[in-house]
Amino acid sequence: MALIVQKYGGTSVGSPERIKNVVRRVAKYKALGHQLVVVVSAMSGETNRLIGLAKEMQAQPDPRELDMVVSTGEQVTVGLVSMGLIQEGLKAKSYTGAQVKIITDSAFTKARILSIDEQNIRTDLANGYVVVVAGFQGIDKEGNITTLGRGGSDTTGVAIAAALHADECQIYTDVDGVYTTDPRVVPEARRLKTITFEEMLEMASLGSKVLQIRAVEFAGKYKVKLRVLSSFEEEGDGTLITFEEDDKMEQAIISGIAFNRDEAKITVRGVPDKPGIAYQILGPISEANVDVDMIIQNVGVDDSTDFSFTVHRNEFDKAMDILKNQVQHHIGARNVVGDNKTAKVSVVGVGMRSHVGIASKMFRTLAEEGINIQMISTSEIKISVVIDEKYLELAVRVLHKAFDLDLEPV
Ligand code: ASP
Ligand code: MG
């Protein structure tokens, strides 16, 4: 007997019919004698619909009230899933995040989980219940409803698996695993049988929307055994996320090409080349809760330099505003320019640690297609470039081919 947490995404619970499929799968696992906790997202499209409603009331919805509204999506699905299970003759009980007592900080719309009271869940499991928990939400210490950021149900699933010391956390989604890249862009993309946790972190953070990045971080921190599977297929092992490179079955140098369409690039030109400037530029940005991704500063010439970074496209206007109105004159910068039609492409693989020439191969491949590289950043296991968004698909395709990702590794 194992304790399994299964998380189902929005498309997997997108209609009563699909919820019945979930119910059948849960019943199958239950019949094998396992204990089951099921974490669900809102029905597909529902969170967007709720955000749309909120925006009709306020162009920039009040964050506390927005969480109040969007958290309802998951409340609906937990009830429906429980009903389906009861209808199948199983014992089932649904919980909102607040009812479980998933305690988070108070950063509305992007809250972090601080603790989970797993006592009720344990008691229910011991009494034979399937416990169905609303993903994406929690409650802060003052009792306010909070949400964990888009895609946050993954994090709920992993966090509950960690709190319960579950044997496995299965993430059911509309794809049957983690691919070398998005198959909609490259039809030859292959499913990976395994991927290391570090690679997954890079793939997730770089925009392969399979798993929310926080969920991967959580899994890494608490050593949760994580598996990504399709909720539409009966069989299939999905992709297992491993902790050791040695557990990796496929020893390819590069595991995948990740990309992100929603990048925006900002450059502060002619900033004084002296201590404290980076902080004065990025301090106000981070105070406004804008996440900064790539950061590049030039070598100074004549006591001045250029400072560039990227943000999510949705936060471009906000960041430009802050820089133009609060920062530029304050630090004596020449001007602030930006481009929100950029995209980021990255090659990811732990094999980079032991192989040279990956970067030059990447740059040559892009050069041969006449794609201009606007920014470059690297880490131990990835190389990322920012390019014009109109070349994104082409770049991903040629890189996938150049690194032989369409071929089974030998
Ligand atoms: N329903 C939320 C969203 O659409 C959370 C999730 O699906 O994971 O972002
Ligand atoms: Mg999701």
Side-chain angles (χ1 to χ4, degrees):
M1 188 190 78
L3 200 173
I4 299 171
V5 175
Q6 297 188 333
K7 181 264 165 178
Y8 291 93
T11 44
S12 310
V13 293
S15 66
E17 249 345 284
R18 287 184 171 178
I19 293 178
K20 286 175 191 169
N21 278 334
V22 168
V23 165
R24 272 191 287 276
R25 186 187 308 269
V26 173
K28 194 176 90 183
Y29 273 86
K30 190 76 179 113
L32 293 169
H34 300 307
Q35 293 188 323
L36 265 306
V37 178
V38 180
V39 175
V40 287
S41 295
M43 296 169 91
S44 53
E46 181 63 8
T47 307
N48 287 340
R49 188 185 73 87
L50 293 168
I51 292 172
L53 285 176
K55 285 191 171 156
E56 287 192 36
M57 301 308 295
Q58 271 190 303
Q60 301 271 13
D62 179 87
R64 180 188 184 277
E65 304 311 324
L66 182 59
D67 279 357
M68 181 66 92
V69 172
V70 295
S71 64
T72 60
E74 273 73 9
Q75 186 170 338
V76 170
T77 40
V78 284
L80 294 176
V81 170
S82 270
M83 286 175 199
L85 290 164
I86 293 166
Q87 183 64 26
E88 280 286 297
L90 295 168
K91 287 165 84 177
K93 210 165 167 182
S94 62
Y95 285 88
T96 64
Q99 287 175 321
V100 174
K101 289 204 188 68
I102 297 177
I103 306 290
T104 71
D105 61 20
S106 304
F108 296 111
T109 76
K110 43 169 108 169
R112 282 185 180 267
I113 296 176
L114 301 176
S115 67
I116 293 181
D117 178 357
E118 82 286 359
Q119 266 326 308
N120 290 332
I121 299 181
R122 279 201 195 286
T123 308
D124 287 344
L125 289 174
N127 290 326
Y129 283 91
V130 173
V131 179
V132 188
V133 178
F136 179 55
Q137 54 177 269
I139 189 169
D140 73 2
K141 286 184 181 132
E142 281 74 51
N144 301 300
I145 292 175
T146 54
T147 66
L148 309 179
R150 298 307 305 269
S153 299
D154 292 341
T155 301
T156 306
V158 174
I160 286 194
L164 292 169
H165 303 289
D167 295 290
E168 187 163 306
C169 180
Q170 302 174 340
I171 307 277
Y172 288 92
T173 173
D174 48 355
V175 295
D176 63 351
V178 179
Y179 276 68
T180 49
T181 196
D182 187 338
R184 283 168 299 191
V185 174
V186 184
E188 295 80 23
R190 281 180 313 106
R191 178 174 61 84
L192 296 161
K193 292 188 179 71
T194 55
I195 184 169
T196 69
F197 157 75
E198 278 176 291
E199 287 170 329
M200 190 61 222
L201 207 53
E202 296 289 2
M203 295 289 273
S205 65
L206 296 169
S208 305
K209 309 252 157 38
V210 185
L211 275 173
Q212 198 207 27
I213 179 160
R214 275 194 200 165
V216 183
E217 284 168 0
F218 228 102
K221 191 159 163 201
Y222 295 100
K223 293 276 185 285
V224 175
K225 198 171 153 199
L226 204 58
R227 195 182 283 282
V228 177
L229 302 135
S230 163
S231 64
F232 301 118
E233 285 165 30
E234 278 302 315
E235 305 298 326
D237 297 328
T239 300
L240 180 68
I241 297 156
T242 65
F243 290 99
E244 302 300 333
E245 277 164 46
D246 307 340
D247 296 344
K248 217 177 120 173
M249 290 188 271
E250 305 166 268
Q251 291 297 350
I253 300 166
I254 300 303
S255 288
I257 312 289
F259 57 86
N260 191 351
R261 294 174 201 277
D262 307 313
E263 293 275 317
K265 171 184 83 166
I266 297 176
T267 300
V268 188
R269 286 229 184 93
V271 303
D273 190 13
K274 63 176 197 209
I277 289 297
Y279 172 65
Q280 286 181 59
I281 293 173
L282 293 183
I285 297 287
S286 89
E287 266 159 43
N289 243 321
V290 174
D291 285 327
V292 170
D293 181 20
M294 228 185 251
I295 303 173
I296 290 174
Q297 187 191 302
N298 241 331
V299 175
V301 180
D302 298 332
D303 295 331
S304 95
T305 184
D306 296 336
F307 188 96
S308 302
F309 60 96
T310 62
V311 296
H312 191 279
R313 198 170 290 176
N314 290 344
E315 306 196 295
F316 177 71
D317 291 339
K318 190 166 159 191
M320 286 295 280
D321 237 43
I322 293 169
L323 293 173
K324 285 193 165 145
N325 299 323
Q326 296 175 32
V327 176
Q328 182 182 342
H329 299 291
H330 183 66
I331 64 172
R334 183 156 18 95
N335 61 3
V336 182
V337 291
D339 179 359
N340 63 359
K341 297 269 181 299
T342 57
K344 182 169 74 172
V345 184
S346 313
V347 298
V348 176
V350 286
M352 260 182 231
R353 288 198 178 113
S354 45
H355 288 79
V356 294
I358 309 295
S360 62
K361 185 169 183 173
M362 179 182 193
F363 303 155
R364 187 183 65 225
T365 305
L366 295 173
E368 280 167 2
E369 299 296 331
I371 300 172
N372 186 38
I373 300 171
Q374 303 179 6
M375 291 167 92
I376 301 172
S377 97
T378 64
S379 79
E380 230 191 327
I381 66 161
K382 73 143 199 241
I383 303 163
S384 305
V385 297
V386 170
I387 58 173
D388 188 323
E389 69 168 3
K390 69 172 180 262
Y391 297 122
L392 176 66
E393 260 95 10
L394 176 63
V396 174
R397 274 201 306 275
V398 294
L399 289 170
H400 195 269
K401 183 127 190 60
F403 287 101
D404 289 332
L405 290 170
D406 44 346
L407 309 174
E408 285 297 332
V410 279

